[in-house]
């Protein structure tokens, strides 16, 4: 089953009244529930997932194939997708953490100035190295869970 849009909005601490467009949902799921919810609310949104139905505005792809571009996205979201896999690879002895780190940087570089990347779970092992002149990091507790959601805002080039 897929997460409801409201659950994702709550976990990722997204304020849809102040969201910067366009929005990209990394790991949007087969149905792209959050993408279609945002579009129904007049927000330009897209998503990709390796299992997504290949219908506009969804794309069947994974995060190592997808071209994020540069200075393109106003908001990027990923609920229990990219960061969950990144965390898994970080702790594995044979994990592919270098490629995940490169993609993480590409995701951040694809944000427009003023744009944000919302994800859960948090990634403290990489977040600690963010350039504070370029990015502002905010973490939020999620109920009684032992992980947090993260929002990274791009401040400048």
């Amino acid at each position: 089953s897929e997460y409801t849009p409201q659950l994702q909005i709550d976990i990722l601490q997204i304020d849809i009244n102040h969201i910067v467009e366009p929005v990209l949902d990394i790991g949007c799921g087969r149905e792209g529930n959050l993408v279609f919810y945002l579009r129904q609310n007049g927000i330009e949104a897209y998503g990709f997932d390796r299992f997504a139905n290949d219908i506009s505005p969804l794309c069947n792809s994974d995060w190592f194939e997808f071209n994020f571009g540069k200075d393109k996205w106003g908001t990027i979201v990923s609920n229990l997708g990219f960061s969950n896999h990144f965390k898994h690879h970080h702790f594995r002895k044979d994990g592919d953490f270098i490629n995940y780190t490169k993609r993480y940087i590409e995701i951040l570089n694809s944000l427009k100035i003023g744009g944000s990347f919302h994800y859960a779970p948090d990634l403290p092992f990489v977040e600690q190295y963010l350039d504070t002149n370029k990015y502002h990091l905010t973490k939020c507790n999620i109920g009684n869970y032992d992980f947090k959601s993260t929002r990274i805002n791009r401040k400048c080039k």
Side-chain angles (χ1 to χ4, degrees):
S1 75
E2 296 195 20
Y3 300 106
T4 66
Q6 193 58 54
L7 178 65
Q8 294 178 73
I9 288 167
D10 292 345
I11 287 173
L12 299 175
Q13 302 290 307
I14 299 168
D15 181 351
I16 67 166
N17 296 315
H18 296 97
I19 201 163
V20 180
E21 300 175 67
V23 177
L24 176 64
D25 185 353
I26 299 173
C28 66
R30 183 177 310 276
E31 302 298 324
N33 291 336
L34 180 59
V35 172
F36 285 105
Y37 174 83
L38 293 172
R39 291 178 81 85
Q40 289 168 356
N41 283 279
I43 297 167
E44 182 184 5
Y46 305 90
F48 72 88
D49 191 291
R50 62 189 177 140
F51 300 114
N53 293 323
D54 207 6
I55 55 169
S56 183
L58 306 181
C59 174
N60 187 284
S61 183
D62 71 31
W63 39 72
F64 290 112
E65 296 171 353
F66 189 82
N67 180 3
F68 291 97
K70 295 250 186 231
D71 305 313
K72 180 176 182 175
W73 302 102
T75 305
I76 299 175
V77 301
S78 184
N79 180 42
L80 300 176
F82 180 81
S83 63
N84 209 28
H85 287 271
F86 189 173
K87 199 171 211 173
H88 171 77
H89 279 271
H90 174 72
F91 290 113
R92 281 178 49 178
K93 288 184 182 184
D94 64 342
D96 193 10
F97 61 90
I98 291 173
N99 279 327
Y100 274 89
T101 302
K102 289 177 182 177
R103 290 309 271 179
Y104 182 81
I105 292 166
E106 286 179 36
I107 291 167
L108 294 178
N109 287 332
S110 74
L111 290 171
K112 296 177 181 181
I113 292 175
S116 58
F117 180 25
H118 300 253
Y119 58 87
D122 58 334
L123 300 168
F125 56 86
V126 71
E127 293 163 352
Q128 65 183 322
Y129 298 109
L130 288 174
D131 181 347
T132 57
N133 293 315
K134 191 173 181 179
Y135 301 104
H136 177 74
L137 174 72
T138 305
K139 292 194 178 220
C140 299
N141 290 321
I142 307 169
N144 294 324
Y145 293 108
D146 61 350
F147 64 90
K148 299 178 184 322
S149 69
T150 298
R151 181 181 72 236
I152 298 174
N153 288 88
R154 184 170 178 197
K155 297 195 289 190
C156 63
K157 286 193 178 218

